[in-house]
Amino acid sequence: MGLAQETILSTDGLTMRFGGLVAVSDLHLEVRKGAIHGIIGPNGAGKTTVFNCVMQNLTVSAGKIWFLGERLDGLTPDRVAAAGISRTYQNIRLFRNVTAMENLLVGMHLHLRSRWWGAVFSLPQARRDEEQAHENALKLLRFVGLTGRGDVLARNLAYGEQRRLEIARAMCTDPVLLCLDEPAAGLNARESAGLSELLLSIRAEHGTSVLLIEHDMSVVMEISDHVVVMDYGVKIAEGTPQDIRDDPKVIAAYLGADEEEAIAVMESGT
């Protein structure tokens, strides 16, 4: 899994404070084009806060965020999305009382060329946009393994299907970078393996880069090109999955041990 050289997303000294609590401290992060980039760490490490800063759901306390050579910090979330970044959340945020197809059509609004009055008066461009959006939504449903499920209300889909639908909705805007916040949460081993295959397919078939927060180490270590480890808001390690497996600071963070104890655990093989 070789990395392309072009950096598409970077943070320079990213810091986020909530009163006296420093949730993210002086984070330097680079995500390269075509890469699957994992962020891991114990609960409360600041991982989701990084996503919220990138998407500008939070106003950063200090530092800069760059995407495709342009500053993101200071933009509104809708402009960040229009720039080419899409995300999912830890907790599923589908429109539960509409169908899977309708969830995707809502997600495509950024790419529609016609305006509201075109829909009201059924103008040709609006009809063409609607037909194209419907066709694209069907392709996405097939791509994520939800063929034949488009007419099912989102609330009636199985949990694993809802996770896939949320990823499909995030793909509706054809993002350059897809940010996924614990997409394997609540999945069984078979579903997690299927998720790994889906994320690899998103990269291979759509050319989309992926920034992934995940607690399921089988997913992160199997598909990531590069992994960053955070603890208490600080980046404590980064490298290839193998580098991270062998890093005593990472083991100490997860075990709650100090570094010497972690080294002893590694040497004992337990």
Side-chain angles (χ1 to χ4, degrees):
M1 288 184 285
L3 285 178
Q5 294 302 306
E6 181 186 352
T7 298
I8 58 170
L9 175 74
S10 64
T11 67
D12 181 11
L14 176 63
T15 300
M16 187 68 224
R17 303 184 187 91
F18 298 100
L21 172 66
V22 181
V24 178
S25 178
D26 193 30
L27 178 66
H28 296 266
L29 175 72
E30 287 191 357
V31 177
R32 298 186 183 276
K33 182 178 180 180
I36 297 179
H37 192 115
I39 302 179
I40 65 173
N43 288 330
K47 306 180 298 294
T48 296
T49 301
V50 173
F51 271 23
N52 288 333
C53 289
V54 168
M55 298 303 299
Q56 290 296 282
N57 298 121
L58 294 171
T59 301
V60 302
S61 303
K64 300 174 183 177
I65 305 172
W66 299 85
F67 181 66
L68 298 178
E70 302 292 333
R71 288 279 294 276
L72 288 185
D73 45 299
L75 297 183
T76 55
D78 62 302
R79 290 183 63 192
V80 174
I85 305 179
S86 188
R87 75 168 292 182
T88 64
Y89 294 84
Q90 289 181 17
N91 299 316
I92 294 173
R93 295 192 180 186
L94 296 171
F95 298 109
R96 291 174 49 79
N97 295 316
V98 302
T99 66
M101 172 67 75
E102 289 165 336
N103 266 276
L104 298 191
L105 293 175
V106 169
M108 290 179 178
H109 73 280
L110 277 177
H111 279 198
L112 296 182
R113 290 177 292 173
S114 56
R115 299 293 183 261
W116 63 268
W117 56 83
V120 170
F121 295 106
S122 192
L123 298 180
Q125 182 63 58
R127 292 198 299 272
R128 286 193 295 270
D129 277 354
E130 184 178 349
E131 290 169 359
Q132 187 62 58
H134 193 273
E135 181 179 338
N136 291 342
L138 283 174
K139 289 179 180 177
L140 277 172
L141 286 172
R142 287 195 295 269
F143 181 74
V144 301
L146 293 178
T147 300
R149 305 292 278 167
D151 292 332
V152 178
L153 293 179
R155 70 169 185 263
N156 292 334
L157 293 171
Y159 181 81
E161 292 178 323
Q162 291 184 31
R163 283 288 182 191
R164 286 174 171 264
L165 179 59
E166 190 163 48
I167 292 172
R169 190 174 67 179
M171 290 293 294
C172 281
T173 57
D174 195 21
V176 175
L177 176 64
L178 181 62
C179 298
L180 303 176
D181 196 347
E182 297 189 29
L187 301 184
N188 60 36
R190 179 181 58 81
E191 291 168 332
S192 292
L195 173 69
S196 294
E197 293 177 4
L198 174 60
L199 298 187
L200 289 171
S201 295
I202 287 173
R203 193 241 313 256
E205 298 184 29
H206 291 262
T208 306
S209 305
V210 177
L211 182 58
L212 172 69
I213 294 173
E214 188 51 71
H215 283 293
D216 188 330
M217 291 297 100
S218 66
V219 172
V220 175
M221 296 303 180
E222 179 182 352
I223 68 172
S224 295
D225 300 292
H226 193 83
V227 180
V228 163
V229 187
M230 297 183 65
D231 193 25
Y232 293 106
V234 176
K235 180 174 70 175
I236 62 169
E238 67 176 318
T240 66
Q242 189 59 52
D243 293 336
I244 298 306
R245 286 191 187 98
D246 296 339
D247 194 316
K249 294 190 296 295
V250 177
I251 296 172
Y254 275 94
L255 295 181
D258 61 33
E259 198 166 333
E260 289 185 1
E261 291 173 322
I263 292 172
V265 169
M266 293 169 61
E267 290 176 344
S268 69
T270 60

